[in-house]
């Protein structure tokens, strides 16, 4: 990082990747046999995620992802209260044929981990700040509990 850019108000967005690169990252992360399967899961998970975010984080996420993915985020109407991580996985599971809780968790985590890698740690932190506890693991991160006083 250049010295004249340190301590700026907002982190620079990660360079925008392509839809093909994002879905290939999902395919590799999840070990899916085809990119078509990874694309389908990416669309399902990003559509669901779009209904959970509002404000600057939603805009920043949509702008940091490929246009196809950004549109999936931005075109959703936000829910009044985001689902818990478990409810989120369960809601995605209903849209995946022959899905179990474990496979749905794997699918969601594969997509969100690839998204986190794509957007970088600062924006991932901002996105997670809008979501209930429990989502960090879905983004491929440890969720640390606050120390008790």
């Amino acid at each position: 990082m250049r010295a004249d850019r340190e301590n700026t108000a907002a982190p620079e967005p990660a360079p925008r990747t392509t839809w093909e690169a994002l879905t290939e990252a999902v395919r590799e992360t999840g070990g899916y046999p085809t990119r078509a399967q990874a694309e389908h899961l990416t669309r399902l998970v990003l559509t669901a995620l779009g209904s959970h975010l509002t404000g600057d984080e939603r805009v920043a996420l949509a702008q940091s992802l490929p246009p196809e993915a950004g549109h999936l985020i931005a075109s959703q109407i936000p829910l009044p209260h985001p689902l818990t991580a478990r409810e989120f996985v369960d809601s995605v599971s209903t849209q995946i044929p022959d899905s179990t809780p474990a496979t749905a968790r794997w699918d969601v985590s594969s997509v969100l981990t690839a998204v986190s890698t794509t957007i970088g740690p600062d924006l991932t932190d901002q996105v997670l700040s809008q979501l209930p506890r429990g989502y960090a693991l879905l983004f491929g991160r440890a969720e640390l509990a606050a120390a008790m006083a």
Side-chain angles (χ1 to χ4, degrees):
M1 178 181 270
R2 292 180 28 198
D4 62 332
R5 292 200 168 228
E6 288 182 2
N7 298 325
T8 58
E12 285 190 39
R16 203 173 220 195
T17 189
T18 65
W19 175 253
E20 291 76 16
L22 176 61
T23 56
E24 182 61 20
V26 170
R27 190 191 69 72
E28 289 176 8
T29 300
Y32 301 110
T34 65
R35 191 164 59 192
Q37 184 179 9
E39 284 186 23
H40 175 71
L41 292 169
T42 301
R43 289 180 194 286
L44 287 176
V45 173
L46 292 181
T47 297
L49 182 63
S51 66
H52 286 67
L53 301 173
T54 60
D56 293 341
E57 291 79 11
R58 177 185 172 106
V59 171
L61 178 60
Q63 290 176 342
S64 295
L65 292 172
E68 299 91 329
H71 178 72
L72 293 170
I73 298 287
S75 65
Q76 302 309 305
I77 297 170
L79 296 171
H81 303 287
L83 300 173
T84 66
R86 182 178 181 157
E87 292 168 336
F88 182 85
V89 169
D90 289 347
S91 74
V92 172
S93 174
T94 64
Q95 301 174 56
I96 303 170
D98 302 320
S99 181
T100 67
T103 60
R105 195 169 36 258
W106 179 266
D107 295 336
V108 169
S109 184
S110 296
V111 173
L112 295 181
T113 297
V115 165
S116 178
T117 301
T118 299
I119 65 174
D122 292 339
L123 184 52
T124 299
D125 287 343
Q126 291 174 6
V127 169
L128 287 171
S129 74
Q130 276 209 355
L131 298 170
R133 288 185 51 89
Y135 276 82
L137 291 173
L138 297 176
F139 280 83
R141 296 173 146 209
E143 183 158 43
L144 303 176
M148 300 288 274

